[in-house]
Amino acid sequence: MDLILEKGSPADVSDRLDKEARCYKFMDELGLEYWRCDHPDANANTMEDCLKIDGILEAVVCKNLFLCNRQHTQFYLLMMPGEKVFKTKELSGQLGCSRLSFAEPEYMVKYLDIEPGSVSVLGLMNDKDNMVQLIVDKDVLEGEFVGCHPCVNTTSLKLKKDDIFGPLLEAMHHDYITVELVGE
């Protein structure tokens, strides 16, 4: 798998899914600088593929988890470093809520227009009613760059952390809660 890091959106998005093209348009309209690595033959499904992609991005590549409460009335997008282990009890305690679990894929599609395996902070641009609360592990905020998907897992992006947690989230009308996960 030959990977190339290119600056900005593809010159032609006609062969891309609409949700991916909307991500590029959204970021371009905000004047954000970003880099893109297409990997259509490796959907970032195996750890081997992810490690190759991580190597070229040189960014904090996040584990993005879509969670909900037991009643399916509160939804959360958790961004945490990929190497940390997720423990439900640890996060639930910090948020002051009981028993979080992984949300059903239909909620992910409904609120973020994202399929499992493609979850990303960029999906919040589709959450016009603010049904999803962004939760960020403090270690994600320590790096200069963050890696994420443009709502599909056949491309990975490298964005400046300050752009994500500044103008991007502001334009999406979302804020975030910082947590400190030990993950051991």
Side-chain angles (χ1 to χ4, degrees):
M1 170 172 56
D2 292 327
L3 299 175
I4 300 169
L5 195 62
E6 300 181 71
K7 192 170 184 177
S9 65
D12 180 13
V13 295
S14 62
D15 62 340
R16 307 285 176 133
L17 292 176
D18 182 56
K19 60 179 124 190
E20 180 182 3
R22 283 188 319 227
C23 286
Y24 300 132
K25 182 179 180 194
F26 190 75
M27 291 186 297
D28 291 345
E29 287 174 350
L30 291 172
L32 300 182
E33 184 176 43
Y34 61 95
W35 296 263
R36 174 182 45 83
C37 176
D38 295 320
H39 42 85
D41 298 326
N43 291 338
N45 288 329
T46 69
M47 281 311 297
E48 184 179 277
D49 288 340
C50 288
L51 289 173
K52 288 178 185 176
I53 295 163
D54 292 359
I56 196 166
L57 288 180
E58 296 179 340
V60 175
V61 177
C62 294
K63 185 183 298 184
N64 295 282
L65 305 176
F66 189 62
L67 308 166
C68 67
N69 64 356
R70 183 179 299 176
Q71 299 79 16
H72 298 103
T73 57
Q74 295 175 306
F75 296 90
Y76 304 91
L77 172 58
L78 171 64
M79 294 176 69
M80 62 187 288
E83 71 275 1
K84 281 193 178 181
V85 176
F86 173 64
K87 295 192 175 186
T88 306
K89 185 176 181 179
E90 183 181 22
L91 180 60
S92 296
Q94 290 186 47
L95 295 178
C97 61
S98 63
R99 195 170 172 260
L100 291 176
S101 62
F102 292 99
E104 298 296 325
E106 59 262 22
Y107 291 112
M108 193 182 304
V109 173
K110 179 178 179 180
Y111 297 127
L112 302 178
D113 192 19
I114 294 179
E115 302 288 335
S118 303
V119 179
S120 160
V121 66
L122 289 172
L124 293 174
M125 67 183 266
N126 301 312
D127 181 25
K128 305 294 185 201
D129 295 324
N130 287 73
M131 295 298 296
V132 180
Q133 172 65 59
L134 179 62
I135 309 295
V136 182
D137 179 80
K138 73 170 189 67
D139 290 343
V140 171
L141 302 171
E142 292 178 5
E144 182 180 358
F145 297 99
V146 174
C148 66
H149 292 304
C151 298
V152 296
N153 67 357
T154 53
T155 298
S156 295
L157 302 175
K158 174 181 177 178
L159 289 95
K160 292 179 184 174
K161 171 203 62 178
D162 292 341
D163 285 346
I164 292 173
F165 298 102
L168 187 68
L169 284 178
E170 186 177 306
M172 294 177 184
H173 306 288
H174 275 76
D175 59 1
Y176 63 97
I177 297 170
T178 305
V179 294
E180 187 171 348
L181 302 174
V182 177
E184 294 178 348

